Amino acid sequence: MSDVFLPKDQRVSRELVLEQQQAPLNLKDLFGNENPVELEIGIGKGLFITRSGVNHPDTNWIGIEIRRKYLNMARERVEKRPLGNVRLICGEALGFLEEYLPDNSLSVIHVYYPDPWPKKRHHKRRLFGEAFMAQVHRVLKPGGHLLIATDHLGYWEHIQEVLQAQTYLDPAERLPEDPDGATGLTNFAIKYQAEGRQSYRTGYRKPEA
Ligand SMILES: C[S@@+](CC[C@H](N)C(=O)[O-])C[C@H]1O[C@@H](n2cnc3c(N)ncnc32)[C@H](O)[C@@H]1O
């Protein structure tokens, strides 16, 4: 699908304000269809979700980003295109999963270059842990995927430990894929590739019921 840009007066907000929503979300009502729904956690400036929304119009995309500054940059990218299949949330990912997502509701969860919190005293802030994996398992549909990329070796090793300790998901053949029309997976991936830094990618899958 080619990239189309809207004149300013035709742009609409794609931000989903959680405080104005009933929990859990009704995803069919939210998007007006029953297409598969994929979630990207920590969208940053929104390159991946924008390209994915353009390339896959028959998939619904939700992006969550905790920092308002980046969410606004992602909104600008999304809203200048006719992307009725994308919604963006300013909020914290684990709380969003716990409160707003129904059981068995997502086809894919993308987590690309999550903050590594390298200092030991900050490790408790890391997204990957038991509580996160339990939520991933609950909200993924049977056969759904968790796709992960990071450049940070220490966090990669931690993620491997978390994945190996859990019994909910199995290693999958599917890995994160660079969207067509982008020169890399995400903004961070492009930056790290240019610097010659290595990235690690993996994929896990919820077994069929
Ligand atoms: C290192 S950046 C990567 C951004 C983007 N995924 C990329 O690869 O270009 C991590 C992003 O995740 C966001 N973030 C960190 N913790 C989060 C959380 N718990 N919920 C939602 N977003 C989070 C940060 O604000 C930041 O924008």
Side-chain angles (χ1 to χ4, degrees):
M1 187 186 175
S2 64
D3 221 353
V4 175
F5 295 94
L6 292 169
K8 274 204 164 138
D9 61 352
Q10 286 179 27
R11 295 181 190 177
V12 292
S13 171
R14 300 297 181 197
E15 180 168 353
L16 184 66
V17 181
L18 290 179
E19 295 71 29
Q20 297 170 358
Q21 300 296 316
Q22 287 213 334
L25 295 172
N26 181 325
L27 297 175
K28 183 181 166 200
D29 287 353
L30 182 64
F31 290 103
N33 60 53
E34 293 191 87
N35 290 342
V37 181
E38 303 196 13
L39 170 71
E40 187 192 359
I41 293 178
I43 62 173
K45 298 174 188 171
L47 178 68
F48 175 82
I49 197 164
T50 305
R51 296 266 30 115
S52 300
V54 170
N55 294 342
H56 303 284
D58 295 333
T59 298
N60 296 321
W61 297 86
I62 300 176
I64 185 160
E65 167 55 51
I66 203 165
R67 292 184 64 188
R68 168 55 65 184
K69 178 179 148 193
Y70 293 129
L71 196 275
N72 285 347
M73 292 163 103
R75 275 189 64 179
E76 170 77 17
R77 257 202 173 109
V78 166
E79 290 171 6
K80 67 178 164 194
R81 296 171 166 90
L83 292 175
N85 58 333
V86 179
R87 295 292 182 281
L88 302 179
I89 295 164
C90 191
E92 194 283 314
L94 181 57
F96 170 66
L97 291 173
E98 286 171 347
E99 194 175 346
Y100 285 95
L101 284 181
D103 296 356
N104 304 315
S105 55
L106 299 180
S107 300
V108 185
I109 299 175
H110 305 264
V111 191
Y112 300 146
Y113 302 87
D115 288 339
W117 296 108
K119 290 184 183 152
K120 199 164 185 192
R121 70 176 187 279
H122 291 155
H123 282 184
K124 56 183 178 297
R125 299 183 188 174
R126 287 174 162 176
L127 182 66
F128 278 86
E130 255 178 64
F132 177 64
M133 290 309 302
Q135 287 304 313
V136 167
H137 176 250
R138 183 184 67 76
V139 303
L140 276 181
K141 289 185 169 177
H145 284 80
L146 170 65
L147 302 179
I148 305 159
T150 180
D151 65 299
H152 191 278
L153 180 59
Y155 199 20
W156 171 245
E157 288 169 353
H158 171 77
I159 291 169
Q160 293 295 312
E161 280 168 25
V162 169
L163 290 169
Q164 277 155 27
Q166 58 84 39
T167 53
Y168 302 123
L169 309 183
D170 300 326
E173 281 176 24
R174 182 169 169 185
L175 295 175
E177 282 171 35
D178 298 355
D180 289 347
T183 50
L185 183 64
T186 65
N187 283 102
F188 269 69
I190 292 167
K191 185 173 139 208
Y192 293 149
Q193 269 162 229
E195 291 169 3
R197 256 155 86 166
Q198 188 179 349
S199 275
Y200 310 92
R201 297 185 184 194
T202 193
Y204 272 66
R205 184 173 177 274
K206 178 169 166 175
E208 301 287 349

